[in-house]
Structures are given as C-alpha cells and as structure tokens.
Amino acid sequence: MLELRSITAGYDRRTPVLRDVTLTLRPGDSVGLLGPSGCGKSTLARVAALLHTPDAGSVVIDGEPARGWRHRAPRAQRTAFGVVFQQPRLSADPRLRLSDLIAEPLRATGAEHADRVRELAEAVGLSTDLLTRRPHEVSDGQLQRACVARALTLRPRWLICDEMTAMLDASTTAALVGVVEDYRRETGAGLLAVGHDRVLLERWCGRTVEWGELVGA
C-alpha cells in the first residue's frame, strides 16, 4: 500500500502549495487525481515518488515509512517507483540516445540492460532506428515513449504519471495508456495518474479523485 499521510509541502515553508493532504493507493489500484493547473497535484505526485521532501506528514511504502528523499532514499524504496512527467524534454538527458535513456535506471544499478531495452522499446512502439537517435532528433511523442519505457525498466511496484499525455496526440495517448495498463495488469502495480482531463482519467482509471476532496474544499 502507498500512503500519503497529512502531507504539507511546497517550495517555501511560509506559503505551502498543499496542506494536510491524505491519499491511499492499494496494489493494483488505478487512481486518477483530477484538478486544475497550479492546484498542487504535481507537487503531491513528486512527494509520493520520493522526489520532493514534504514539510510535514509522511509517505509509507508497503508498510514502511520513507527513509529519505531523492538520492538519499534507500535504493529499495527509490526503485519502487516509476515516474513519467508531462514534458519529456525536461526529463531526458539531451546527450543520450533513446536506448541509453531507457537503460539509465539499469546502468545505475549495474544490471545487464540490452534485452530489457529491446523488450521495452517494442512494447512502447520504438523502432531500432529510433533507439539510435537523441532527443532533438525525435518528436515529443517518440521521446515520451522512451520516457515511459524508462519508467518501467526496473519493474516498479508504483507508477506515477504526472500529466503524461498532456503534450501528445490522441493516437500516442491511447498507445501509452495501453502500455501502462498492460504493465499494471501483468504486475499488480498501483497507479496514480495526475491530470486535468476528466474524460481521459475516468476512462483510464478505476477511481478518480477530485483535488477539492483531498484539500477539504
């Protein structure tokens, strides 16, 4: 279970972006978090994925409280999450070929990666030719496919998709949502999908939570 307990967080302690927010996901759950731009849902997603330190509250992962944030988190907790952000060009190293981008998490753990990269590239619809290119040589949709593959590389137990499809056309959106759902069904991973598109979240997720419900509006 992934539990966000009474989270208060922001980028300036005097003016927190979110206050006393609680949200729980069970393994296999697919939860959509719906809210307008700027409300704080992306900050909550980053806290959930151990990428942003909350000012108050706690994150509990499979019964164990988070013991650090970002690179200070223990590897077992850090690698429990796969995260896909809204803007792939801000989350991809422009120097890396797409094959190396997908392999980044494996390289960090010293694991063999060639077979896993091929498997994931096929799953997200990237050809062998595209894998040799760098981010500036591919479209936003192709780069986001690589970012989704990267998020799945270490077989995470929890997926955090923060506006994953906001910059994509309808066909790429459908393809990547399908990849995430196939992975979730096969592994029992839990999903938190953040967005402002009600139709998409309600079709994609088993449960949709309105931001106002979390903050008591």
Side-chain angles (χ1 to χ4, degrees):
M1 188 177 296
L2 177 61
E3 301 170 81
L4 308 178
R5 299 177 178 174
S6 301
I7 299 295
T8 295
Y11 305 93
D12 179 342
R13 285 180 177 271
R14 293 170 297 181
T15 54
V17 175
L18 49 96
R19 296 176 185 270
D20 196 29
V21 174
T22 295
L23 180 66
T24 299
L25 281 81
R26 291 175 172 79
D29 274 358
S30 56
V31 176
L33 179 54
L34 177 69
S37 297
C39 69
K41 59 188 187 298
S42 291
T43 300
L44 185 65
R46 291 181 65 83
V47 171
L50 307 185
L51 295 175
H52 185 81
T53 308
D55 299 324
S58 60
V59 177
V60 181
I61 309 156
D62 301 321
E64 184 177 1
R67 301 200 309 276
W69 308 92
R70 298 185 69 84
H71 298 299
R72 294 185 178 182
R75 178 181 291 181
Q77 291 189 336
R78 190 170 68 243
T79 58
F81 295 92
V83 186
V84 188
F85 299 103
Q86 176 180 351
Q87 298 182 333
R89 299 197 184 279
L90 297 181
S91 60
D93 188 330
R95 301 167 296 179
L96 296 181
R97 297 176 302 170
L98 296 196
S99 60
D100 295 324
L101 176 69
I102 296 169
E104 267 189 302
L106 288 167
R107 292 180 184 277
T109 61
E112 293 293 329
H113 59 270
D115 290 344
R116 183 64 173 153
V117 168
R118 283 194 293 268
E119 172 192 342
L120 288 166
E122 182 177 352
V124 299
L126 290 175
S127 66
T128 302
D129 173 63
L130 287 171
L131 290 177
T132 66
R133 300 182 188 180
R134 290 178 170 78
H136 73 276
E137 298 174 313
V138 299
S139 69
D140 287 343
Q142 290 164 338
L143 184 56
Q144 191 69 309
R145 288 173 189 265
C147 290
V148 170
R150 178 180 61 183
L152 301 180
T153 299
L154 295 181
R155 298 178 172 88
R157 301 191 304 277
W158 303 99
L159 293 171
I160 310 293
C161 296
D162 184 10
E163 300 274 12
M164 179 184 82
T165 64
M167 300 178 66
L168 307 180
D169 60 33
S171 62
T172 305
T173 292
L176 292 185
V177 167
V179 170
V180 170
E181 282 303 284
D182 286 346
Y183 177 83
R184 190 179 64 80
R185 284 192 294 266
E186 290 168 6
T187 65
L191 166 71
L192 176 63
V194 173
H196 58 264
D197 185 334
R198 179 184 297 276
V199 173
L200 173 64
L201 290 181
E202 290 184 347
R203 288 179 177 174
W204 182 1
C205 301
R207 174 167 65 100
T208 300
V209 177
E210 301 257 3
W211 181 253
E213 298 173 28
L214 294 184
V215 298

